[in-house]
Amino acid sequence: MPAQQPAVSVIMPVLNEERHLRDSVRHILGQEYAGEMEVVIALGPSKDRTDEIAAELVREDPRVVTVPNPSGRTPAALNAAIKASRHPIVVRVDGHGMLSPNYIATAVRLLEETGAQNVGGIMHAEGENAWEDAVAAAMTSRIGVGNAAFHTGGKAGPADTVYLGVFRREALERAGGYNEEFIRAQDWELNFRIREAGGLIWFSPELKVQYRPRPSVRALAKQYKDYGRWRHVVARYHSGSINLRYLASPTALCAIAAGVVVGAAVTPWGFVVPAGYLAAITVGSVPAGKGLSLKARAQIPVAMATMHMSWGFGFLTSPRSLAAKVIASRRPAVSRDFADGV
């Protein structure tokens, strides 16, 4: 490794992260990286001890600073942190993400080697109890999330999007930062604009971030409903950005609903469709649950069904009025001078 690496700014949007914030920041500050580093935490209106923990981190290490994010929205937090940061490489990390020890050094090397504007890797889900282990297994299984490389792994190469991301600052400036209208799917939408401008997004399995899954069925359902809802907004905002993978869950939901109606009102043969789906996720959960406890393995089909049905429901019920509102606001999320302090 060279004696000195480019200075990096790590930006963190944080809301109600008392469980994981300290550990997440510890994984950042403990990076095997020779360059200068700062950590900018954008604090939303948390209802737990997140602000108190963040204040402790600031007192303990001068590299950590905080900025307010009154709206609590993730893209607004990211833009606020970018504006407050100073360095040419910008690393996005969530408050429940744990970087592998050489994550930043590897990402900076890949930026140089590939000429990419943004590089990212695998969202390595790991649980802390049986339910979270089940969700983690579902989120890293092809039957759970399809062929998304940042979930399931794969070969290094150009990608539509990556998990979190390590950016060249100039790419963020040219794009105008994150679009603050996108409450969810803001990463995919930003990467789409970078690609439309001719920039390269690069996936590498060398990069791994440990991710903590949602702690309950209800929280997981809300997460995936929002994913589906906002992915449909992206599709309406950026014509031609949809692909067949994103239609799988809505199609499955419609087929299952139709099968139940036909089975109840016309012929029992209609129940073949939902039964076939349940059989598929049950069989698919077997390899996904290898090495887990019996309790965790038993919950993998529940996690898969929750993810699929919630995503599909969110996609199908995403109102056109929401997309129309976002489309009407077409404008840079932050001004061209958001890097005043650089």
Side-chain angles (χ1 to χ4, degrees):
M1 180 182 293
Q4 186 66 29
Q5 294 288 302
V8 301
S9 297
V10 181
I11 59 172
M12 301 183 70
V14 169
L15 181 70
N16 297 322
E17 289 287 1
E18 68 174 4
R19 286 182 63 199
H20 304 301
L21 179 58
R22 176 171 287 279
D23 204 21
S24 181
V25 172
R26 179 177 62 81
H27 279 76
I28 296 168
L29 298 177
Q31 285 288 295
E32 298 168 0
Y33 190 69
E36 183 181 352
M37 181 189 303
E38 65 176 353
V39 181
V40 183
I41 304 174
L43 294 171
S46 294
K47 297 179 181 179
D48 59 12
R49 295 183 58 251
T50 295
D51 287 10
E52 180 182 336
I53 294 168
E56 292 171 357
L57 292 168
V58 171
R59 289 194 297 269
E60 293 166 6
D61 196 306
R63 292 174 293 177
V64 181
V65 298
T66 62
V67 294
N69 173 36
S71 73
R73 293 182 172 186
T74 298
L78 291 165
N79 284 337
I82 292 168
K83 184 174 182 179
S85 67
R86 301 175 290 122
H87 298 318
I89 306 297
V90 179
V91 182
R92 178 185 170 177
V93 181
D94 284 342
H96 47 271
M98 314 296 163
L99 300 185
S100 53
N102 62 347
Y103 179 89
I104 292 177
T106 302
V108 170
R109 172 176 60 79
L110 289 171
L111 284 173
E112 179 64 27
E113 289 178 355
T114 65
Q117 303 301 302
N118 179 23
V119 300
I122 295 174
M123 179 182 179
H124 184 64
E126 289 188 2
E128 296 182 317
N129 54 48
W131 165 251
E132 291 180 4
D133 284 342
V135 177
M139 292 180 72
T140 54
S141 165
R142 289 188 180 276
I143 195 170
V145 294
N147 62 351
F150 68 86
H151 280 297
T152 61
K155 295 181 179 179
D160 289 344
T161 191
V162 290
Y163 180 53
L164 301 179
V166 178
F167 299 83
R168 299 178 189 271
R169 178 178 290 274
E170 60 263 28
L172 291 171
E173 293 177 0
R174 283 195 298 269
Y178 289 84
N179 188 324
E180 295 186 11
E181 297 296 332
F182 282 88
I183 309 305
R184 296 287 184 271
Q186 64 276 135
D187 295 297
W188 202 101
E189 195 276 335
L190 172 60
N191 284 316
F192 182 88
R193 285 187 283 121
I194 291 174
R195 289 188 290 109
E196 286 288 281
L200 174 65
I201 310 299
W202 188 265
F203 166 81
S204 174
E206 292 183 75
L207 298 172
K208 184 179 291 187
V209 180
Q210 190 181 86
Y211 169 86
R212 299 300 188 204
R214 294 297 193 271
S216 67
V217 173
R218 182 177 180 179
L220 183 68
K222 182 181 185 306
Q223 178 187 21
Y224 272 78
K225 183 192 74 173
D226 288 346
Y227 282 169
R229 175 185 177 98
W230 283 94
R231 189 61 190 80
H232 205 163
V233 175
V234 173
R236 287 166 170 159
Y237 187 84
H238 293 297
S239 178
S241 66
I242 200 71
N243 62 46
L244 291 178
R245 180 168 70 88
Y246 296 115
L247 299 177
S249 289
T251 301
L253 178 58
C254 289
I256 290 168
V260 169
V261 170
V262 170
V266 181
T267 171
W269 284 104
F271 290 116
V272 169
V273 176
Y277 170 77
L278 291 175
I281 61 174
T282 300
V283 172
S285 72
V286 174
K290 186 178 180 180
L292 297 182
S293 68
L294 180 61
K295 185 177 181 180
R297 294 200 302 270
Q299 295 182 86
I300 295 174
V302 178
M304 287 183 177
T306 300
M307 291 159 57
H308 295 162
M309 298 301 100
S310 299
W311 204 102
F313 179 79
F315 188 92
L316 291 170
T317 60
S318 182
R320 288 187 175 274
S321 59
L322 179 58
K325 175 178 177 291
V326 173
I327 291 169
S329 72
R330 287 184 190 270
R331 53 181 169 74
V334 272
S335 65
R336 294 286 296 174
D337 62 352
F338 76 53
D340 288 342
V342 178

